[in-house]
C-alpha cells in the first residue's frame, strides 16, 4: 500500500509538472506574439494572425494596411513620466481595437507605431483613418488636464502576399510625413504590371 501511495504521489507530481510545462508553453507563445504593454499583436503575432486568416481564405487576398504613429508622445512622456505615457499607449490600443471592424488585425510595432491590417476591406480607407484619427477628438484626462494625442497615418492597399513590401512603403511614406506638415495622408502603391 505504501509503495502504491508513493507511486500515486510521484504520478501527481509528474502531472503537475506537465501541466505547468503546458501552461508555460502557452504563456511563452502568447508573449512571443503580443506586445506586453498593450496586449496587441506584435509583428510576429500579426504575421501569425494573417497566416491563419489566409489559410482559410485566398492567399492573394487584398489587404488594407494602415500605419500610424502617435504625435506628441515625447512631450507627454517628458511632462508626465513613462508610467503615464505607457498608460496612454495602452488606452490608444484599446481605442484602436474598439474602432476596428471586419477582419482586422492590429499590432503595436514598437514605440508609438501602430499597424492595422484589414483583410478584404469593406470600408473606404479614409473612413478607417478617420476612426483612427478620432483619438484627437477624445482627449485623455491626465492629472486633471485634458491632453490631446494625434496620429499621423498612411494607408496602402495591395496583395497579402506582398505584406512586407506594403509595410516598407507605408513606413517610408509615414517617415516623410514627419518632415512635411500634414496630418492625414493617403497613399497607395502603383499597380504592378504582370
Amino acid at each position: 500500500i505504501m509503495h502504491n501511495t508513493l507511486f500515486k504521489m510521484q504520478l501527481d507530481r509528474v502531472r503537475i509538472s506537465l501541466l505547468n510545462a503546458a501552461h508555460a508553453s502557452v504563456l511563452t507563445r502568447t508573449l512571443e506574439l503580443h506586445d506586453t504593454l498593450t496586449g496587441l499583436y506584435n509583428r510576429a503575432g500579426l504575421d501569425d494572425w494573417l497566416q491563419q486568416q489566409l489559410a482559410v481564405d485566398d492567399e492573394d487576398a487584398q489587404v488594407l494596411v494602415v500605419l500610424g504613429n502617435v504625435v506628441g508622445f515625447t512631450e507627454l512622456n517628458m511632462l508626465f513620466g513613462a508610467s503615464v505615457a505607457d498608460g496612454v499607449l495602452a488606452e490608444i490600443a484599446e481605442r484602436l481595437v474598439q474602432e476596428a471592424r471586419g477582419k482586422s488585425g492590429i499590432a503595436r510595432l514598437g514605440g508609438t507605431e501602430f499597424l492595422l491590417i484589414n483583410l478584404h476591406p469593406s470600408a473606404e480607407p479614409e473612413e478607417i483613418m478617420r476612426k483612427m484619427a478620432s483619438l484627437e477628438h477624445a482627449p485623455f484626462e491626465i492629472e486633471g488636464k485634458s491632453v490631446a494625442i494625434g496620429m499621423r497615418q498612411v494607408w496602402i492597399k495591395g496583395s497579402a502576399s506582398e505584406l512586407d513590401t506594403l509595410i516598407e512603403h507605408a513606413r517610408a511614406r509615414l517617415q516623410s510625413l514627419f518632415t512635411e506638415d500634414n496630418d492625414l495622408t493617403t497613399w497607395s502603391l502603383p499597380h504592378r504590371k504582370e
Side-chain angles (χ1 to χ4, degrees), residues 38 40 91-101 106 116:
T38 64
L40 295 176
E91 175 68 22
I92 289 170
E94 189 174 312
R95 290 181 185 186
L96 291 175
V97 167
Q98 289 173 0
E99 292 296 339
R101 300 284 188 261
I106 305 173
L116 176 137

Side-chain angles (χ1 to χ4, degrees), residues 58-126:
D58 180 13
E59 184 71 27
D60 204 32
Q62 287 294 300
V63 295
L64 170 67
V65 173
V66 179
L67 185 65
N69 202 315
V70 178
V71 177
F73 187 78
T74 303
E75 294 81 5
L76 177 77
N77 200 9
M78 289 180 356
L79 285 171
F80 296 103
S83 63
V84 169
D86 286 350
V88 169
L89 283 178
E91 175 68 22
I92 289 170
E94 189 174 312
R95 290 181 185 186
L96 291 175
V97 167
Q98 289 173 0
E99 292 296 339
R101 300 284 188 261
K103 288 188 170 185
S104 295
I106 305 173
R108 176 173 171 238
L109 299 182
T112 59
E113 192 173 60
F114 292 87
L115 176 66
L116 176 137
I117 296 178
N118 189 282
L119 194 59
H120 302 298
S122 57
E124 289 299 314
E126 291 83 2

Side-chain angles (χ1 to χ4, degrees), residues 138-159:
F140 297 87
E141 291 297 320
I142 303 171
E143 296 179 5
K145 297 177 183 160
S146 181
V147 179
I149 298 291
M151 183 173 283
R152 293 219 173 144
Q153 51 191 320
V154 295
W155 66 267
I156 187 168
K157 279 186 179 180
S159 168

Side-chain angles (χ1 to χ4, degrees), residues 42-55:
N42 58 23
R43 178 59 199 270
L46 194 62
D47 288 343
D48 186 63
W49 171 85
L50 185 60
Q51 293 310 312
Q52 289 177 29
Q53 298 298 314
L54 295 177

Side-chain angles (χ1 to χ4, degrees), residues 133-193:
S134 69
L135 293 172
E136 296 176 51
H137 304 295
F140 297 87
E141 291 297 320
I142 303 171
E143 296 179 5
K145 297 177 183 160
S146 181
V147 179
I149 298 291
M151 183 173 283
R152 293 219 173 144
Q153 51 191 320
V154 295
W155 66 267
I156 187 168
K157 279 186 179 180
S159 168
S161 62
E162 298 176 327
L163 183 61
D164 289 334
T165 302
L166 295 172
I167 293 171
E168 284 176 34
H169 285 292
R171 187 172 275 139
R173 182 63 184 131
L174 185 63
Q175 198 65 0
S176 73
L177 286 180
F178 283 91
T179 58
E180 300 169 10
D181 197 25
N182 301 323
D183 285 328
L184 299 177
T185 299
T186 58
W187 182 70
S188 61
L189 267 180
H191 293 287
R192 281 191 335 193
K193 293 182 181 175

Side-chain angles (χ1 to χ4, degrees), residues 10 28 39 106 130-131 161:
Q10 289 175 337
T28 299
I106 305 173
R130 269 193 301 279
K131 288 179 179 181
S161 62

